[in-house]
Every structure is written in C-alpha cells, then in structure tokens.
Amino acid sequence: MYAATISDEFAGFITIADTGLHTLQGPQGQSIGDYATLDEAQEALAEALFPVEHDQSDVAAARPRRRRTGRLGVVSALAAG
C-alpha cells in the first residue's frame, strides 16, 4: 500500500493486488479506479482531485443566451403608465 500525497498532504492511497493492478482510493476512501502502473494511478489521483479547468469563454460562447422576461417587463410597463 502506498500513501498518495499531493503537495505533501495526504490525498488517498493505492493498493497493489497480486495481479499487479493498482487500485486508487481518494482521501475519503472513495474508489477512483484501477490502473496498470503506480504512475498512472498517481496521475489519475491528481486529475480526480484537481480537474483541468475549462476556458469559461468557450462555455459562454457555446451557451445560448436567454431573454429576460417577467418582472423587469412588468416594472417597465408600470413606470410608463
């Protein structure tokens, strides 16, 4: 068994089965997956705890814009009348 760390902090553990399979568990004991090598398991831990951030401008550009309706329209109508 290996204690997995990130920045010298406990981040989970990796057990090695007799078959050579590396089973990764996160800091709360949650199962993250099975990997062929110790290096793959360590990389998967970092990705599970610190997922790659997406560029938010791409997300905003792909999202359709919503029209504002409702209260703002009612307030405008009351103010005009």
Side-chain angles (χ1 to χ4, degrees):
M1 179 183 300
Y2 291 92
T5 61
I6 294 178
S7 298
D8 295 327
E9 295 289 326
F10 176 76
F13 55 94
I14 303 167
T15 57
I16 303 172
D18 293 335
T19 60
L21 194 63
H22 296 73
T23 300
L24 173 61
Q25 300 201 311
Q28 287 83 34
Q30 71 274 29
S31 178
I32 296 178
D34 298 315
Y35 302 90
T37 68
L38 182 60
D39 288 338
E40 288 176 3
Q42 290 171 329
E43 287 177 22
L45 179 64
E47 290 174 12
L49 297 180
F50 303 104
V52 176
E53 302 259 344
H54 296 287
D55 182 3
Q56 293 300 312
S57 63
D58 293 343
V59 173
R63 186 181 314 141
R65 293 188 160 266
R66 294 185 341 177
R67 283 191 197 190
R68 291 184 174 240
T69 59
R71 298 185 87 184
L72 185 59
V74 172
V75 171
S76 297
L78 292 175

